[in-house]
Amino acid sequence: MIRRPVDGIRLATLTAIAGTVFIAAGAFWLSFTSLADLAQRSGLSPEQAWAWPLIVDGIIVVATVAAVVLTGSRGVWYPWVLLFAGASVSVVANAIHAILAADSDVPAALAASVAAVPPLVLLAITHLTSILMRRPGPAIDSSSVDEERSLLTATSARHHDAQILRASGLSNRAISRRLGVHPSTVGRWLRTTGSTPPHALEQGGQSNA
């Protein structure tokens, strides 16, 4: 018999997807607030500043998903270009904001490194989530398939033997003794194949079918 997907594997996959979505949301929020503040510092009004991080980090999410979906196609280079450009802008912008907003006693390199983590995590976790969503189903055990095919072939051969024995004039009961099965099984086989002649009755005028 073909093995069914294990429920534990499905549960683990759903848990991993939920975890990646949660982490991606956190990384997006951290990057969003930093980029929105940087946009305001650069002269955009508060009503406009929120759109800038959506554009920068949004292209990371969209391009990552597109790159996974288009894997193997000729046009996959384009989402990768967008992904690289969006990630570069987000990392640099987060680093600049961290340097501007950090306390004077915090080294600039440290502030920039900490600020670069959210956009990089957003990039990695979005890619991981896309891969998990496209995870193929469990592979079918080839040995189980071969075993089932063998059983079906053997059963078909016995059906054929039952037809030949019926054609030779044997009753269902006699056929069942020859094949080592119950008479009702023989009758079911012959009904399935449509090979039971209407006049084929058991002794005593009753059919064993």
PDB file of all heavy atoms in Angstrom, residues 18 36 51 58 61 72 105 107 138 145-146 162 169 173 209:
ATOM      1  N   ALA A  18       4.644  29.546   9.730  1.00  0.00           N
ATOM      2  CA  ALA A  18       4.145  30.540  10.678  1.00  0.00           C
ATOM      3  C   ALA A  18       5.299  31.286  11.343  1.00  0.00           C
ATOM      4  O   ALA A  18       5.247  32.509  11.532  1.00  0.00           O
ATOM      5  CB  ALA A  18       3.266  29.867  11.727  1.00  0.00           C
ATOM      6  N   ALA A  36      11.350  55.070   7.660  1.00  0.00           N
ATOM      7  CA  ALA A  36      10.374  56.159   7.725  1.00  0.00           C
ATOM      8  C   ALA A  36      10.972  57.369   8.441  1.00  0.00           C
ATOM      9  O   ALA A  36      10.773  58.523   8.020  1.00  0.00           O
ATOM     10  CB  ALA A  36       9.109  55.686   8.434  1.00  0.00           C
ATOM     11  N   ALA A  51       5.508  55.943   3.053  1.00  0.00           N
ATOM     12  CA  ALA A  51       5.483  55.240   1.764  1.00  0.00           C
ATOM     13  C   ALA A  51       6.874  54.807   1.324  1.00  0.00           C
ATOM     14  O   ALA A  51       7.016  53.811   0.597  1.00  0.00           O
ATOM     15  CB  ALA A  51       4.844  56.132   0.691  1.00  0.00           C
ATOM     16  N   GLY A  58       9.233  46.694   0.373  1.00  0.00           N
ATOM     17  CA  GLY A  58       8.214  45.958  -0.380  1.00  0.00           C
ATOM     18  C   GLY A  58       8.786  45.286  -1.610  1.00  0.00           C
ATOM     19  O   GLY A  58       8.403  44.164  -1.958  1.00  0.00           O
ATOM     20  N   VAL A  61      10.375  41.930  -0.716  1.00  0.00           N
ATOM     21  CA  VAL A  61       9.425  40.825  -0.557  1.00  0.00           C
ATOM     22  C   VAL A  61       8.916  40.348  -1.912  1.00  0.00           C
ATOM     23  O   VAL A  61       8.933  39.146  -2.219  1.00  0.00           O
ATOM     24  CB  VAL A  61       8.249  41.264   0.338  1.00  0.00           C
ATOM     25  CG1 VAL A  61       7.197  40.159   0.423  1.00  0.00           C
ATOM     26  CG2 VAL A  61       8.739  41.642   1.731  1.00  0.00           C
ATOM     27  N   GLY A  72      14.358  28.675 -12.742  1.00  0.00           N
ATOM     28  CA  GLY A  72      14.483  27.822 -13.912  1.00  0.00           C
ATOM     29  C   GLY A  72      14.007  28.454 -15.198  1.00  0.00           C
ATOM     30  O   GLY A  72      14.242  27.900 -16.283  1.00  0.00           O
ATOM     31  N   ASP A 105      28.402  57.902  22.022  1.00  0.00           N
ATOM     32  CA  ASP A 105      29.364  56.936  22.556  1.00  0.00           C
ATOM     33  C   ASP A 105      29.254  55.566  21.900  1.00  0.00           C
ATOM     34  O   ASP A 105      29.981  54.634  22.264  1.00  0.00           O
ATOM     35  CB  ASP A 105      29.199  56.798  24.071  1.00  0.00           C
ATOM     36  CG  ASP A 105      27.784  56.373  24.446  1.00  0.00           C
ATOM     37  OD1 ASP A 105      26.874  56.497  23.591  1.00  0.00           O
ATOM     38  OD2 ASP A 105      27.573  55.910  25.593  1.00  0.00           O
ATOM     39  N   PRO A 107      29.911  53.265  18.713  1.00  0.00           N
ATOM     40  CA  PRO A 107      30.685  53.290  17.467  1.00  0.00           C
ATOM     41  C   PRO A 107      29.777  53.229  16.242  1.00  0.00           C
ATOM     42  O   PRO A 107      28.776  52.498  16.225  1.00  0.00           O
ATOM     43  CB  PRO A 107      31.570  52.041  17.570  1.00  0.00           C
ATOM     44  CG  PRO A 107      31.644  51.750  19.025  1.00  0.00           C
ATOM     45  CD  PRO A 107      30.315  52.170  19.598  1.00  0.00           C
ATOM     46  N   PRO A 138       5.275  14.644  -0.086  1.00  0.00           N
ATOM     47  CA  PRO A 138       6.188  13.528   0.196  1.00  0.00           C
ATOM     48  C   PRO A 138       6.305  12.583  -0.986  1.00  0.00           C
ATOM     49  O   PRO A 138       5.340  12.308  -1.686  1.00  0.00           O
ATOM     50  CB  PRO A 138       5.517  12.840   1.405  1.00  0.00           C
ATOM     51  CG  PRO A 138       4.607  13.855   1.994  1.00  0.00           C
ATOM     52  CD  PRO A 138       4.159  14.726   0.868  1.00  0.00           C
ATOM     53  N   VAL A 145       4.880   1.000  -4.470  1.00  0.00           N
ATOM     54  CA  VAL A 145       4.202   1.023  -5.759  1.00  0.00           C
ATOM     55  C   VAL A 145       4.419  -0.285  -6.501  1.00  0.00           C
ATOM     56  O   VAL A 145       3.481  -0.864  -7.063  1.00  0.00           O
ATOM     57  CB  VAL A 145       4.703   2.208  -6.600  1.00  0.00           C
ATOM     58  CG1 VAL A 145       4.111   2.158  -8.005  1.00  0.00           C
ATOM     59  CG2 VAL A 145       4.361   3.525  -5.925  1.00  0.00           C
ATOM     60  N   ASP A 146       5.665  -0.780  -6.509  1.00  0.00           N
ATOM     61  CA  ASP A 146       5.963  -2.044  -7.182  1.00  0.00           C
ATOM     62  C   ASP A 146       5.200  -3.194  -6.542  1.00  0.00           C
ATOM     63  O   ASP A 146       4.703  -4.086  -7.241  1.00  0.00           O
ATOM     64  CB  ASP A 146       7.471  -2.325  -7.124  1.00  0.00           C
ATOM     65  CG  ASP A 146       8.266  -1.325  -7.950  1.00  0.00           C
ATOM     66  OD1 ASP A 146       7.666  -0.689  -8.848  1.00  0.00           O
ATOM     67  OD2 ASP A 146       9.477  -1.170  -7.690  1.00  0.00           O
ATOM     68  N   ALA A 162      -9.940 -17.801 -13.618  1.00  0.00           N
ATOM     69  CA  ALA A 162     -11.332 -18.119 -13.282  1.00  0.00           C
ATOM     70  C   ALA A 162     -12.211 -18.105 -14.527  1.00  0.00           C
ATOM     71  O   ALA A 162     -13.098 -18.963 -14.688  1.00  0.00           O
ATOM     72  CB  ALA A 162     -11.862 -17.126 -12.252  1.00  0.00           C
ATOM     73  N   GLY A 169     -16.485 -25.207 -18.201  1.00  0.00           N
ATOM     74  CA  GLY A 169     -17.676 -25.852 -17.657  1.00  0.00           C
ATOM     75  C   GLY A 169     -17.645 -26.086 -16.171  1.00  0.00           C
ATOM     76  O   GLY A 169     -18.596 -26.666 -15.621  1.00  0.00           O
ATOM     77  N   ARG A 173     -17.908 -23.349  -7.335  1.00  0.00           N
ATOM     78  CA  ARG A 173     -17.321 -24.079  -6.210  1.00  0.00           C
ATOM     79  C   ARG A 173     -16.072 -24.838  -6.639  1.00  0.00           C
ATOM     80  O   ARG A 173     -15.055 -24.857  -5.924  1.00  0.00           O
ATOM     81  CB  ARG A 173     -18.353 -25.032  -5.616  1.00  0.00           C
ATOM     82  CG  ARG A 173     -17.950 -25.625  -4.259  1.00  0.00           C
ATOM     83  CD  ARG A 173     -19.079 -26.473  -3.685  1.00  0.00           C
ATOM     84  NE  ARG A 173     -20.303 -25.692  -3.531  1.00  0.00           N
ATOM     85  CZ  ARG A 173     -20.531 -24.883  -2.492  1.00  0.00           C
ATOM     86  NH1 ARG A 173     -19.624 -24.755  -1.541  1.00  0.00           N
ATOM     87  NH2 ARG A 173     -21.665 -24.229  -2.418  1.00  0.00           N
ATOM     88  N   ALA A 209     -22.749 -17.578  -7.776  1.00  0.00           N
ATOM     89  CA  ALA A 209     -22.162 -16.278  -8.019  1.00  0.00           C
ATOM     90  C   ALA A 209     -22.405 -15.375  -6.824  1.00  0.00           C
ATOM     91  O   ALA A 209     -23.426 -15.032  -6.452  1.00  0.00           O
ATOM     92  CB  ALA A 209     -22.722 -15.667  -9.266  1.00  0.00           C
TER      93      ALA A 209
END
